[in-house]
Every structure is written in structure tokens, then in C-alpha cells.
């Protein structure tokens, strides 16, 4: 998941870039609650954006983002093996 720093009301706030289209420096993070907690605890966003960033809104929006992300019909099932299309066929052109 991509996170960007946006100026909102005179503050720099970290927000989720769901479509991965917002301009500016971005930071990438696994869409995992443990990864988010670790990044906030270690102040990874402050280092990634090279300055102080408010992450309170990001932490509040994260559970809703995960719910929307897992509810998408185009997301492949987690039971897929690496190197396979969602319909199960191998990703190769040679037989």
C-alpha cells in the first residue's frame, strides 16, 4: 500500500493513496496491521517523508482501507501459488 504526505490545514498528514496516483514522495507499506504498528512505533513515516508527519488520521483510516481492500472482487485468492493466474493456470508461454 502506498502512503503519501499531504498538506492539510497547515499540517503535513500521511494519507493512504489507494489508487497510487497522488503526486509527491510516497512510502510503501504492507497492508498488515502489525506492519502499520511497527512503522508508527519506529517513526518510519517521518524518515520516509524527511520531516515530521502526523499519522493519527492514517492509523484511523487503515482498518477501513483493509476492509475495502479485502472486499474487492478482483483480488486473487490467498490460496494461489506463486506464478499462477487467478484461474489457476501457470504463467508461462512455453509448453
Amino acid at each position: 500500500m502506498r502512503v503519501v504526505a499531504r498538506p492539510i490545514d497547515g499540517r503535513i498528514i500521511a494519507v493512504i493513496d489507494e489508487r497510487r496516483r497522488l503526486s509527491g514522495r510516497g512510502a510503501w507499506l504492507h497492508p498488515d496491521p502489525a506492519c502499520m504498528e511497527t512503522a508508527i512505533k519506529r517513526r518510519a513515516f517521518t524518515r520516509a517523508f524527511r520531516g515530521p508527519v502526523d499519522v493519527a488520521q492514517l492509523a484511523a483510516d487503515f482498518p477501513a482501507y483493509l476492509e475495502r481492500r479485502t472486499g474487492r472482487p478482483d483480488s486473487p485468492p490467498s490460496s494461489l501459488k506463486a506464478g499462477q493466474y487467478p484461474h489457476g493456470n501457470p504463467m508461462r508461454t512455453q509448453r
Side-chain angles (χ1 to χ4, degrees):
M1 126 182 142
R2 185 170 188 256
V3 178
V4 295
R6 308 290 290 174
I8 299 174
D9 296 332
R11 297 180 305 163
I12 305 297
I13 298 176
V15 296
I16 298 171
D17 183 7
E18 292 190 41
R19 297 182 65 209
R20 298 181 300 258
R21 301 281 189 275
L22 293 176
S23 64
R25 184 177 181 85
W28 291 91
L29 183 70
H30 293 108
D32 178 27
C35 192
M36 174 64 81
E37 290 175 20
T38 303
I40 291 172
K41 180 179 163 186
R42 293 182 181 179
R43 300 177 191 226
F45 296 112
T46 299
R47 284 193 314 276
F49 298 126
R50 298 178 182 164
V53 178
D54 184 7
V55 295
Q57 187 64 40
L58 176 66
D61 292 342
F62 185 68
Y65 167 78
L66 287 180
E67 186 175 317
R68 283 190 307 272
R69 186 172 191 264
T70 57
R72 288 186 186 166
D74 62 343
S75 61
S78 60
S79 62
L80 282 180
K81 294 180 182 177
Q84 289 189 340
Y85 286 115
H87 50 74
N89 294 337
M91 292 183 190
R92 62 178 177 225
T93 57
Q94 297 177 350
R95 294 194 187 249

